[in-house]
Amino acid sequence: MTSSWLLLGAGPVRTSLTWAGLVVLVACVLAVAGQVRSGGRISRAEAYGLAVASVQEPGDGGALPVPATVHGTRWVWIRVTAVAVAVVTTAVLAVCLGFAQPERSETAAAIAGSDYVIEELPIVSVAHVDAAGSSSRSSTMADYTVNLPSAQGGKATPATFRAYNGKGVREAGETYEVAYAPEQPALGAVGDTSVDAVEGQLAGHTLSSRSIPFVTVAWAIAIVLAVAVGTSVASRPRGERRVGGDWVALRSVVTGQAEHVEEADGGVGTPTKSGKSSSRYACLTLRTDAGEDVPLAISAKLQDATPVLTGAEGWLLWNPQGDGKAKVAADFVADDGWQLPGRVPGAVAARIAAGPRGPVQVDAERRTQLLELGGFWPRTVPMGLVVGMLVAAAAVGALLVPVNGGWRIWTALAVVLAPLLGQLLAKEARAPTTAMEH
């Protein structure tokens, strides 16, 4: 939708793509609403419990061998990153919809439908100047009159158009790029400071040619930042890997959560050494058979995930490669048959890998399932947020109608504010119940 709105001119292609995008958007919101209503809304902790239950396999309670392969984590990264990209794209789309002028002027539409030319013509007179500031270099909007040459060599036809100038106002005798129909000078003219800007008016672009590059670059930067955020939350996507004999395999049990502090030199600090720490983050704690607590960073809300995962026994695995500074991709393979991806701090991983350990014995017949703690997220969405998203979708539909006006900015605000307000009201509605339960 955003690409079509930015880059395409008025016509059936843009109309089809934008409205098709709106249909898909509404369908996605309704799909989430359907899951919430059919299965009932659940808390994040309950969703984590369902995720674990969905991949657990019955066993005899004994320790199982190390699997020969561990699953990839591309889908987790895709889901988290897609949400981040969708949020920033929605903000960009709202801005573009609010400040756009999708209704092409009658003069531009008439000229575009005829045999027109674009020529540099001298200005005859200037009127109705609206300046953005008091400086002579302030941007302006003004009515410019030019004489359109006759195709038969007769008398020139005067035509007036309103145009933007980023540096003051152009005076009589200066020139503008003007589009007109030589055979039909009565259609009038449209003009701007460049040929590209004039062609944009004729094509019916929703934003001016000077705005499109800025918005496109801002959108691209926002997407890059969103991908970076998604990668930091879910870690880089990794494919399926084979467990080698040189891997680290620690028999472990999940005991809880703790705050991990890394020093600026890559070492491990304590919460009291805040002056030397470079990063501080919460981790799942796994206690090994040797009695050591190993932190494992996972893509989940730890305060909700820890009660569900505590007590699980299995193998903590990782490939001991790297310089000991970056977090190392690791996986906890539980005896219940599930695999939880995460990351072990580089300094901790390097220290353990440097210690004495024997070769890892793997079982090529053992199969596990990837535990996606966020897999049941649609059922955790409050109905207030769903209603806010539907209101936002309705506002987007109103903005897709090709009608210009100041109302567009206020409607665009609804696209951003309606979901936020819905989320806020949902939290307030749950607060009294929570207080009574306590």
Side-chain angles (χ1 to χ4, degrees):
M1 289 179 67
T2 308
S3 298
S4 302
W5 198 250
L6 274 175
L7 305 176
L8 298 181
V13 175
R14 187 179 75 188
T15 301
S16 300
L17 290 177
T18 52
W19 284 99
L22 179 62
V23 170
V24 173
L25 176 63
V26 173
C28 290
V29 177
L30 291 178
V32 173
Q35 291 197 42
V36 174
R37 290 189 61 84
S38 62
R41 186 181 181 275
I42 58 178
S43 66
R44 185 187 285 110
E46 292 171 324
Y48 289 165
L50 289 176
V52 173
S54 67
V55 295
Q56 277 183 332
E57 294 181 357
D60 55 9
L64 296 180
V66 176
T69 60
V70 290
H71 297 284
T73 61
R74 291 191 178 93
W75 175 241
V76 178
W77 178 85
I78 290 173
R79 185 177 63 243
V80 174
T81 304
V83 171
V85 171
V87 170
V88 299
T89 302
T90 300
V92 172
L93 179 62
V95 172
C96 294
L97 289 171
F99 287 94
Q101 294 186 346
E103 185 181 20
R104 183 169 49 175
S105 69
E106 294 182 2
T107 301
I111 295 174
S114 63
D115 293 330
Y116 67 87
V117 296
I118 300 178
E119 293 182 358
E120 189 175 17
L121 299 178
I123 300 170
V124 176
S125 63
V126 183
H128 304 112
V129 178
D130 293 326
S134 58
S135 172
S136 60
R137 304 295 290 174
S138 298
S139 60
T140 60
M141 289 290 292
D143 292 339
Y144 295 94
T145 301
V146 296
N147 288 325
L148 305 181
S150 174
Q152 291 78 24
K155 184 180 180 180
T157 303
T160 301
F161 58 86
R162 192 160 183 81
Y164 168 88
N165 193 356
K167 297 179 181 179
V169 60
R170 294 199 176 181
E171 304 292 342
E174 296 184 273
T175 60
Y176 252 99
E177 298 293 344
V178 180
Y180 67 98
E183 300 293 337
Q184 298 174 281
L187 295 179
V190 294
D192 215 311
T193 55
S194 68
V195 174
D196 290 341
V198 175
E199 290 178 342
Q201 290 188 51
L202 297 177
H205 284 160
T206 56
L207 297 177
S208 64
S209 59
R210 60 183 176 274
S211 302
I212 291 177
F214 172 78
V215 175
T216 303
V217 171
W219 183 28
I221 293 174
I223 288 180
V224 170
L225 293 176
V227 172
V229 170
T231 303
S232 66
V233 172
S235 78
R236 290 191 299 269
R238 50 187 189 257
E240 185 178 271
R241 291 152 295 149
R242 295 192 63 83
V243 179
D246 60 339
W247 279 44
V248 174
L250 303 176
R251 189 68 193 165
S252 310
V253 58
V254 180
T255 57
Q257 71 178 81
E259 185 181 55
H260 178 75
V261 180
E262 290 186 18
E263 295 182 357
D265 58 0
V268 179
T270 63
T272 59
K273 297 179 180 179
S274 58
K276 295 183 179 180
S277 64
S278 60
S279 61
R280 182 187 300 240
Y281 48 89
C283 291
L284 200 66
T285 303
L286 286 77
R287 179 157 297 174
T288 67
D289 283 349
E292 180 178 5
D293 289 335
V294 179
L296 180 69
I298 62 174
S299 302
K301 193 75 171 179
L302 278 177
Q303 64 183 23
D304 295 320
T306 300
V308 176
L309 301 176
T310 298
E313 299 183 28
W315 293 97
L316 179 61
L317 309 171
W318 72 81
N319 190 350
Q321 296 179 352
D323 56 7
K325 295 181 180 180
K327 296 185 183 71
V328 176
D331 295 270
F332 177 69
V333 181
D335 294 337
D336 289 340
W338 47 264
Q339 170 198 330
L340 176 64
R343 293 170 291 171
V344 173
V348 176
R351 176 175 52 77
I352 294 176
R357 54 190 174 87
V360 178
Q361 303 296 324
V362 301
D363 183 0
E365 300 299 322
R366 187 182 178 191
R367 297 291 182 268
T368 62
Q369 297 187 64
L370 185 65
L371 172 59
E372 296 186 37
L373 291 173
F376 286 83
W377 70 267
R379 291 185 58 186
T380 66
V381 178
M383 284 304 297
L385 177 58
V386 173
V387 173
M389 294 172 65
L390 288 174
V391 172
V396 170
L399 290 169
L400 292 180
V401 177
V403 178
N404 299 337
W407 63 274
R408 301 187 65 86
I409 296 178
W410 299 105
T411 307
L413 285 176
V415 177
V416 178
L417 297 181
L420 297 178
L421 181 60
Q423 176 73 3
L424 180 62
L425 293 177
K427 286 184 177 180
E428 291 183 350
R430 292 198 302 270
T433 303
T434 303
M436 292 176 63
E437 289 175 353
H438 287 292

